[in-house]
């Protein structure tokens, strides 16, 4: 599927994700206000006006082939009916928590034995069949780090550029608890890092653009 008949906030965000742009970069490419992009993230069903539809068409048409392919995959995953796959099979989905506490963000260091090159990550966990992504986000953060958090905002979803797994991202607010490595089987360490230093731990080109935009706010 290479044509969007009617752009929505959701499709616009998927295009941003496929282009791997921050809110500011995406707004600049479209020539619009950053607040408009933020609105799309907060209201997936909003339908941009006619002029904006044309701008999104143009950005999509001029996007590199690799970005267009990523966009097509994201849209296909969004539109795929739940009953299209056998009952015994479900695409692997992961909930990722971007937990912020004042000017810091919570990171975990994985015990990765594969060749992905990923070590430091945001807390994450596999969403079980029939499970809710928000519940998984809160539960896995507590299980891995000892930190209680609450989901504040769904930042969007994408196929991870390194692992290819479908990821659901959530901005979470710190509630209580001391950060500690409470899952020594999977993790090596857990720590709060300055939000403006997260890219020293996680390569910037692998961070979900909306998550990066959140981290860059007020830093």
């Amino acid at each position: 599927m290479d044509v969007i008949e009617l752009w929505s906030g959701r499709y616009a965000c998927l295009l941003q994700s496929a282009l791997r742009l921050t809110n500011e970069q995406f707004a600049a490419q479209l020539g619009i206000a950053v607040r408009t992009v933020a609105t799309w993230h907060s209201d997936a069903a909003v339908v941009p006006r006619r002029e904006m539809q044309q701008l999104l068409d143009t950005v999509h048409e001029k996007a590199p082939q690799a970005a267009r392919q990523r966009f097509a995959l994201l849209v296909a995953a969004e539109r795929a009916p739940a009953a299209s796959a056998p009952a015994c099979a479900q695409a692997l989905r992961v909930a990722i928590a971007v937990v912020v506490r004042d000017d810091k963000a919570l990171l975990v260091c994985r015990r990765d034995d594969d060749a992905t090159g990923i070590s430091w990550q945001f807390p994450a966990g596999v969403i079980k069949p029939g499970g809710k992504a928000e519940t998984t986000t809160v539960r896995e953060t507590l299980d891995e780090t000892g930190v209680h958090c609450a989901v504040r905002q769904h930042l969007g979803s994408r196929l991870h550029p390194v692992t290819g797994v479908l990821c659901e991202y959530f901005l979470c607010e710190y509630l209580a608890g001391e950060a500690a490595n409470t899952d020594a089987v999977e993790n090596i360490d857990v720590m709060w890092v300055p939000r403006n230093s997260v890219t020293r731990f996680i390569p910037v080109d692998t961070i979900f653009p909306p998550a990066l935009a959140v981290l860059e706010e007020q830093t």
Side-chain angles (χ1 to χ4, degrees):
M1 198 278 308
D2 204 30
V3 176
I4 294 293
E5 296 180 0
L6 184 66
W7 290 94
S8 64
R10 183 59 174 156
Y11 286 145
C13 291
L14 292 180
L15 179 59
Q16 176 189 358
S17 177
L19 292 167
R20 296 175 181 169
L21 299 176
T22 64
N23 284 10
E24 289 77 9
Q25 292 169 332
F26 194 42
Q29 188 159 338
L30 287 165
I32 62 176
V34 177
R35 104 167 49 88
T36 301
V37 178
T39 298
W40 295 339
H41 284 284
S42 61
D43 185 359
V46 67
V47 176
R49 65 182 187 275
R50 183 186 300 274
E51 296 81 0
M52 195 71 68
Q53 296 276 333
Q54 295 172 345
L55 289 174
L56 289 164
D57 282 340
T58 299
V59 170
H60 176 248
E61 290 166 2
K62 294 183 177 180
Q65 184 61 29
R68 288 171 66 102
Q69 291 175 347
R70 284 194 295 270
F71 177 69
L73 287 172
L74 288 170
V75 172
E78 187 81 6
R79 290 183 168 182
S84 62
C88 60
Q90 173 177 300
L92 182 62
R93 296 172 60 222
V94 172
I96 298 180
V98 182
V99 185
V100 295
R101 180 183 186 184
D102 298 325
D103 62 343
K104 292 183 171 59
L106 186 63
L107 298 183
V108 299
C109 188
R110 301 288 188 205
R111 294 184 183 277
D112 284 333
D113 297 321
D114 53 26
T116 62
I118 294 177
S119 53
W120 286 98
Q121 303 176 7
F122 299 110
V126 175
I127 304 170
K128 297 179 181 179
K132 292 186 177 180
E134 293 86 346
T135 303
T136 300
T137 300
V138 172
R139 183 186 65 245
E140 291 296 325
T141 298
L142 178 60
D143 289 348
E144 289 187 347
T145 70
V147 168
H148 295 268
C149 68
V151 172
R152 181 191 302 171
Q153 178 186 351
H154 181 227
L155 296 175
S157 61
R158 67 164 176 175
L159 294 177
H160 196 280
V162 176
T163 65
V165 172
L166 180 59
C167 299
E168 300 280 352
Y169 291 80
F170 295 90
L171 174 63
C172 298
E173 179 181 6
Y174 168 83
L175 297 179
E178 296 297 326
N181 184 11
T182 52
D183 187 354
V185 174
E186 291 191 7
N187 301 328
I188 299 172
D189 198 6
V190 171
M191 64 186 297
W192 292 101
V193 304
R195 288 161 58 175
N196 59 7
S197 298
V198 168
T199 54
R200 294 173 53 190
F201 296 83
I202 306 175
V204 65
D205 60 343
T206 68
I207 300 177
F208 188 42
L212 184 62
V214 165
L215 295 172
E216 291 175 344
E217 291 177 359
Q218 301 177 354
T219 60

